[in-house]
Amino acid sequence: MTLTIPRRLMHTSRGLPQKGSIPRFQRGLPQKRAIKGVSHVIAVSSAKGGVGKSTIAANLALAFARLGLRTGILDTDLFGPSIPTLFNLTNTAPALTASNQLVPLTNYGVKTMSLGYLSADESAPVVWRGPMLLKALQQLLHDVDWAGAGGLDVLVLDLPPGTGDVQLSVAQQVELDGAVVVTTPHVLAVKDAVKGVGMFAKVGVPVLGLVQNMAVFRCPCCAAETAVFGGNEKVRAMCDGFGIELLGDVPLHPSIGEDGSRGKPTVAAEPESERAAVFMDVARKLAGKVGLEV
C-alpha cells in the first residue's frame, strides 16, 4: 500500500528534502507552548538505545487508558519510529482535517501519531539534515488534531534515545509536566540514564521517576529469579543520588517483546498478568504526580 505524505513533510525517494522545504529559524530559543487539546504531557526517555523505552511508553499509554484517562502517544523518534508496529497500525495513513492538521490513528483506546504513518516505505531510512528534521518534529508536536472528541487528559511522548536535537527541541517547545527515564540494570545503561537525568535538569524539566526494565528473569520451570543484567543496586543508588523515585521494575519476560512485535502490547494483550500490573502501578503513580485523578 502506498501512503500519501502531506506536502509539508514530503521528501524525495532518496530521503532528501525538496527544494525550498528547509525552514528559516529565528534567533534565540523557541517559546514554549502547550499542545492544543492536551491537558498533561509526559515524556518517556532513555539516553541509551535498546533498553525497551518505546515498549515502556506504549504500555504506559495503554495503562493510562485503562485507568479511564483520554490518552494519546506521540512517536518523536523520527529515525526509528516504533509506535506503528506496537499499535498494529503499519500501512495506515492519517487523514487531514479541513485546517490541514493530522488526525491521530486510534487503537486499543489510545490515539497515536508517528512519522512512520507518513512514509511510503516502512523500511526506507529517514535521511534528513537537522533543519528538515526539526521542522517535521515541530509539525508533529503542534499540527496534530488531539483536540478532536474532547481532547486528551494525557499525552505520552516517546522520545528517541540520546540527548540531542530532538530531545532539546521538545523540552524547549513544549510545556512538559515531566519526564520518565527508562534504563536496564546494566552498568552502561545506568551511566547513560544519569546523562538523561542531567539533560532534563539543564532544560528545567522535572524527572518524575525512573523505570527499570528487564530487571529480573524468572525461570518458568523452577521460578528461580536471575538478574541477567546485574543487580539493581546501581539503579537504586542512582535514584537515591538524584532524589528521584524508582517507579517500578519491569521483569525480563519473553511475552513483553512478543506482545509488542505482534502489535498488541502487554497491557492490552495480557491485562491481568503480573507484568501488566507493573505498568498499571507506574501509571497510577505518574497520574498522581501530575495531578490526574484516577
Side-chain angles (χ1 to χ4, degrees), residues 111-280:
K111 292 182 177 182
T112 76
M113 183 50 61
S114 170
L115 186 67
Y117 298 145
L118 308 176
S119 175
D121 182 358
E122 183 183 357
S123 63
V126 174
V127 189
W128 288 348
R129 295 188 184 276
M132 186 62 180
L133 183 72
L134 296 181
K135 180 63 176 177
L137 175 65
Q138 183 178 7
Q139 290 166 347
L140 285 175
L141 289 172
H142 296 296
D143 289 343
V144 177
D145 183 27
W146 301 111
L152 299 179
D153 296 311
V154 59
L155 176 65
V156 176
L157 299 185
D158 179 20
L159 299 184
T163 56
D165 285 348
V166 171
Q167 295 85 345
L168 292 174
S169 295
V170 169
Q172 291 168 355
Q173 293 187 34
V174 177
E175 294 180 0
L176 297 173
D177 288 75
V180 177
V181 175
V182 179
T183 187
T184 69
H186 194 282
V187 61
L188 297 180
V190 175
K191 284 186 175 181
D192 282 347
V194 169
K195 297 176 184 177
V197 172
M199 177 196 70
F200 287 117
K202 285 187 176 182
V203 295
V205 174
V207 175
L208 302 174
L210 184 141
V211 174
Q212 182 176 215
N213 195 22
M214 309 181 207
V216 67
F217 172 73
R218 181 180 295 172
C219 177
C221 299
C222 66
E225 293 187 347
T226 302
V228 177
F229 296 108
N232 64 8
E233 296 84 4
K234 298 179 293 298
V235 172
R236 293 190 180 277
M238 173 193 164
C239 289
D240 290 341
F242 284 95
I244 59 178
E245 182 179 357
L246 178 57
L247 296 169
D249 293 323
V250 179
L252 176 62
H253 194 285
S255 291
I256 295 178
E258 292 169 1
D259 291 340
S261 64
R262 64 189 178 94
K264 194 172 186 179
T266 297
V267 172
E270 307 172 275
E272 304 305 321
S273 67
E274 292 182 7
R275 299 170 293 285
V278 174
F279 292 116
M280 295 299 298

Side-chain angles (χ1 to χ4, degrees), residues 5-26:
I5 305 177
R7 288 186 177 182
R8 294 170 298 160
L9 297 181
M10 190 73 72
H11 57 85
T12 68
S13 60
R14 294 185 180 181
L16 297 175
Q18 289 185 336
K19 184 177 180 181
S21 62
I22 299 178
R24 294 181 179 179
F25 288 88
Q26 297 178 347

